[in-house]
Amino acid sequence: MTGSILVLRALGLGDLLTVVPALRGLRDAYPDDRVVLAAPESLRDLVELVDAVDELLPTEGLGALRWPGAPPRLAVNLHGSGPESIRDLLATRPDILLSHRHPEFPDLPGPEWHDDMHEVDRWCRLLESARIDADPAALRLPAPRQPAPESNVVVIHPGAAFPARRWPAERFAHVARELAADGHRVVITGTRDEIPLANSVARQAGLPPSAVYAGRTDLAQLAALVAEAALVVCGDTGVGHLATAFGTPSVLLFGPTPPHRWGPPPAAKEHVALWAGDVGDPHADRPDPGLLTLRPEQVLTAAAGLLGEKVRHG
């Protein structure tokens, strides 16, 4: 008898991409069941690329989960440690709930939550606690079906969710200017809210208005642009996870969160994660001091190595 597997991950772009291995583990463990992912509607174009998901249940964060059918045979908390996420899933009356342990639910089994773990490993470990195999390396996604706005460009994404993770605009502009001088087509991406930032970077770098894609791409177009890019340069953002998902070479600037918690797989040589070694508050209202120690010259050296490798093997 088949049933439904409900998975809660009502977060952002990078959060979705880090649970792809766990989703694939669930798909393999329950091949005849319907895997339903509760996540924001804005991620639909990307969810459709994940071969382990049968249906997206639009869910805009905690407290927004509305399960319409019979109780799922299994509910999996890939959202967080609780207690809110646990309550949301318990309200669906699942036969079994798989989650990390939380003191408010002493009768609920599960592994302890550890802060200092890679986000991919965290969710694979949760599944393994229930004897469900998951391969942390299974991060790759197929390229989007729609064509990219441009191909073989250098994508620079200067924005980030919080100021703590935003490398200064003038430093991104320095990198963009040097790469453009080397003959690369450089484009600047961002959300609609990041249009002023993207325009500032482009203006300082001497790039034409056509180089600014901020506010001009939906998620599918952004994903296609990254998938077809020669290189991505960005901070600790969802765009960096897109580069990992599509195997696009990337230079990633980390701080205050270390790359061993949110970065690309260490064995993936097409990605270079730069980090000064300082851990701080990722939600602070100013750039992290460790992040500010990273210099444009370091980024350009890493970029040259990756672009050179691509040319030699291309």
Side-chain angles (χ1 to χ4, degrees):
M1 179 179 176
T2 62
S4 295
I5 310 299
L6 171 61
V7 181
L8 178 62
R9 186 69 165 173
L11 295 164
L13 172 59
D15 304 286
L16 168 64
L17 294 172
T18 57
V19 299
V20 168
L23 290 168
R24 286 175 167 154
L26 288 167
R27 170 83 288 158
D28 291 343
Y30 297 93
D32 298 323
D33 290 274
R34 187 163 186 79
V35 177
V36 180
L37 176 64
E41 171 66 29
S42 60
L43 298 178
R44 182 175 293 278
D45 288 334
L46 203 61
V47 171
E48 290 178 353
L49 298 179
V50 182
D51 51 6
V53 176
D54 297 305
E55 179 184 342
L56 172 67
L57 177 63
T59 306
E60 301 298 325
L62 294 172
L65 178 60
R66 302 291 181 266
W67 180 249
R73 65 181 295 181
L74 173 66
V76 185
N77 185 3
L78 299 187
H79 187 96
S81 60
E84 295 92 342
S85 52
I86 294 175
R87 291 195 196 99
D88 282 358
L89 288 170
L90 284 175
T92 70
R93 298 177 291 115
D95 294 343
I96 301 172
L97 173 59
L98 178 56
S99 180
H100 286 85
R101 192 174 303 140
H102 192 279
E104 289 193 23
F105 301 91
D107 296 330
L108 179 66
E112 295 286 346
W113 180 277
H114 297 288
D115 285 331
D116 198 30
M117 284 189 70
H118 195 286
E119 191 71 1
V120 174
D121 296 334
R122 179 190 313 287
W123 305 114
C124 291
R125 176 177 171 267
L126 174 63
L127 265 60
E128 288 161 4
S129 73
R131 299 184 179 180
I132 299 172
D133 291 333
D135 178 6
L139 290 161
R140 293 291 290 271
L141 293 179
R145 288 181 289 275
Q146 76 173 80
E150 297 190 52
S151 62
N152 203 39
V153 299
V154 173
V155 172
I156 290 186
H157 187 85
F162 293 93
R165 289 180 253 161
R166 292 179 202 148
W167 204 46
E170 62 271 17
R171 299 191 194 181
F172 275 114
H174 182 133
V175 171
R177 184 170 58 250
E178 293 298 322
L179 290 173
D182 286 341
H184 299 287
R185 164 69 169 165
V186 179
V187 300
I188 315 297
T189 58
T191 65
R192 183 171 297 279
D193 290 341
E194 292 166 346
I195 291 175
L197 171 61
N199 284 334
S200 173
V201 171
R203 185 172 58 253
Q204 293 179 68
L207 300 179
S210 64
V212 178
Y213 276 98
R216 293 170 47 202
T217 57
D218 58 22
L219 180 56
Q221 293 167 326
L222 176 63
L225 185 66
V226 170
E228 294 296 324
L231 179 71
V232 170
V233 179
C234 67
D236 177 14
T237 69
V239 169
H241 292 284
L242 279 177
T244 297
F246 297 126
T248 301
S250 65
V251 181
L252 308 170
L253 294 94
F254 275 83
T257 301
H260 76 258
R261 289 178 57 183
W262 279 90
K269 302 305 181 186
E270 68 270 28
H271 308 295
V272 176
L274 301 176
W275 182 51
D278 293 337
V279 178
D281 178 8
H283 305 114
D285 61 0
R286 64 188 64 188
D288 177 70
L291 180 62
L292 292 178
T293 67
L294 301 178
R295 310 303 302 172
E297 293 75 19
Q298 294 171 266
V299 177
L300 288 166
T301 297
L306 292 171
L307 290 166
E309 212 170 88
K310 187 177 180 66
V311 170
R312 285 196 298 272
H313 295 293

